[in-house]
Amino acid sequence: MTESMRAWRNESYGPAAGVRLERVPIPVPRTGEVLLRMRATALNAGDVRLMQGDPLLVRPVFGLTRPKHPIRGMDAVGEVVQAGPHVIGVEIGDIVVGELQGGGGLGEYAAVSAARVQPVPPGVDERDAVTLPISGGTAWQALDIAGVGLRRRAERVLVIGASGGVGTFAVQFAALRGAEVWASCAERNRALVERLGAVRTLDHRREPLSAIPGRHFDAVIDVAGGIDLRDLQRLVRDDGTIVLVTGDGGHVLGPIPRMLKAAFLSIGGGPGIRSLAATNRPEVITKMLELLAAGRFAPVVEREYSFDEADAALARIEEGHVVGKLVVRVS
Ligand SMILES: NC(=O)c1ccc[n+]([C@@H]2O[C@H](COP(=O)([O-])OP(=O)(O)OC[C@H]3O[C@@H](n4cnc5c(N)ncnc54)[C@H](OP(=O)(O)O)[C@@H]3O)[C@@H](O)[C@H]2O)c1
């Protein structure tokens, strides 16, 4: 194996235009880790936040003056080519999917804990598998928190921000759990979101949620942000739940003020408002892979980019309004 690899790096916080393709040493897998020869990564809103260091709140953790991990890309599909000490359950040659902590997917090789990856099942397209860990996992966990599929009655769920990375999964998974799904998205994405399983779509620019009768939903999954929390509470039954997925907010504290307000408004009855901090949950990825292999849902991919176009993919996420996911084929 050559000792260096190509990787797209953001040495300082800033826009996609500052990301450079460079030669860097291949990572060495530590105890419990495997080295992946990367095949694909999917990019997320979170990659752009870490690239820009925005909100400032992320910097004490991810690097005060510049990123500690300068290679973006958290969703990974790759071939296991080397194992560090004490690796169990993963073999050299396996094609695996999982989440790289802090990034690394936009490099030709990445080291990852063996506990965070699992084989891509036969018949599952790598392009589809790589979209699952962050966006699929977040949608799944949001529906879990909202208890969707657990109530002993027909459920009605509203997904706000239905055409994006998390939203396209949330609509499909809520429908799979048997809920009647309503979705808010832009007019141009209505047909797509209805194909994904929404029985009713609302154009978020022209059809205000205030027109919907009160207590109409058992759960609201808010991926878009920007809507007053009291207006969201009005839409949900007293025993229902609103899940705030979005990381939107101010340049300094990001979602923190909205999360505090949500906690305050949840005191003293009425629908609870829960802020989601999705975590790496291998059992959720396993479940999604099973459903994917069975053809029960289909990830939406706006476009695949080659490795040489990865900066354009980051710029596309930065621009906003992506429909579904963006995938970068690394090799
Ligand atoms: N809590 C967590 O653990 C967690 C995990 C993953 C992601 N996130 C956060 O979740 C958010 C969404 O992530 P993503 O990857 O899905 O981003 P995305 O692909 O950009 O999707 C955002 C979607 O929201 C839509 N939207 C914006 N304003 C809207 C409005 N007023 N009404 C309805 N829809 C609206 C956008 O549609 P248009 O195309 O019409 O603008 C877009 O489809 C980001 O802030 C991300 O950081 C949080």
Side-chain angles (χ1 to χ4, degrees), residues 279-301:
T279 52
N280 177 52
R281 298 256 306 272
E283 75 282 9
V284 169
I285 300 181
T286 305
K287 185 72 200 160
M288 292 188 293
L289 286 169
E290 280 169 16
L291 292 169
L292 187 57
R296 304 286 305 281
F297 73 96
V300 176
V301 176

Side-chain angles (χ1 to χ4, degrees), residues 74-315:
M74 294 179 279
D75 288 317
V77 163
E79 179 186 352
V80 177
V81 290
Q82 197 182 327
H86 306 302
V87 165
I88 46 169
V90 182
E91 305 291 332
I92 304 293
D94 282 355
I95 305 294
V96 295
V97 56
E99 184 184 327
L100 306 172
Q101 210 165 11
L106 288 180
E108 289 174 313
Y109 293 85
V112 59
S113 164
R116 296 176 81 94
V117 296
Q118 56 194 287
V120 176
V124 168
D125 191 322
E126 293 171 16
R127 181 199 83 149
D128 290 340
V130 79
T131 64
L132 297 181
I134 305 260
S135 291
T138 300
W140 192 275
Q141 290 176 53
L143 295 167
D144 278 351
I145 288 183
V148 175
L150 298 177
R151 295 181 180 85
R152 289 167 184 271
R153 60 171 189 252
E155 293 174 296
R156 195 179 290 133
V157 174
L158 172 65
V159 178
I160 304 173
S163 64
V166 177
T168 46
F169 285 112
V171 170
Q172 295 188 80
F173 294 160
L176 274 178
R177 292 180 188 211
E180 176 187 308
V181 184
W182 289 40
S184 158
C185 60
E187 176 69 33
R188 67 183 183 286
N189 295 319
R190 266 184 139 140
L192 166 80
V193 170
E194 284 165 13
R195 277 200 305 278
L196 297 178
V199 297
R200 174 83 194 268
T201 49
L202 302 154
D203 173 0
H204 67 74
R205 291 185 181 84
R206 281 197 309 216
E207 292 172 90
L209 298 177
S210 56
I212 300 174
R215 302 181 176 199
H216 200 60
F217 298 102
D218 298 283
V220 170
I221 310 297
D222 180 14
V223 186
I227 298 169
D228 190 275
L229 294 178
R230 287 181 198 277
D231 292 339
L232 293 182
Q233 260 186 327
R234 186 192 67 80
L235 292 171
V236 178
R237 294 166 66 135
D238 281 353
D239 61 350
T241 305
I242 296 141
V243 182
L244 305 181
V245 174
T246 177
D248 274 359
H251 175 56
V252 179
L253 291 177
I256 299 294
R258 192 167 163 86
M259 288 164 71
L260 291 175
K261 187 172 178 192
F264 177 73
L265 287 176
S266 298
I267 300 169
I273 311 179
R274 305 274 305 274
S275 299
L276 175 67
T279 52
N280 177 52
R281 298 256 306 272
E283 75 282 9
V284 169
I285 300 181
T286 305
K287 185 72 200 160
M288 292 188 293
L289 286 169
E290 280 169 16
L291 292 169
L292 187 57
R296 304 286 305 281
F297 73 96
V300 176
V301 176
E302 179 184 281
R303 197 189 138 183
E304 280 185 54
Y305 292 75
S306 69
F307 187 60
D308 289 341
E309 298 171 313
D311 53 343
L314 285 166

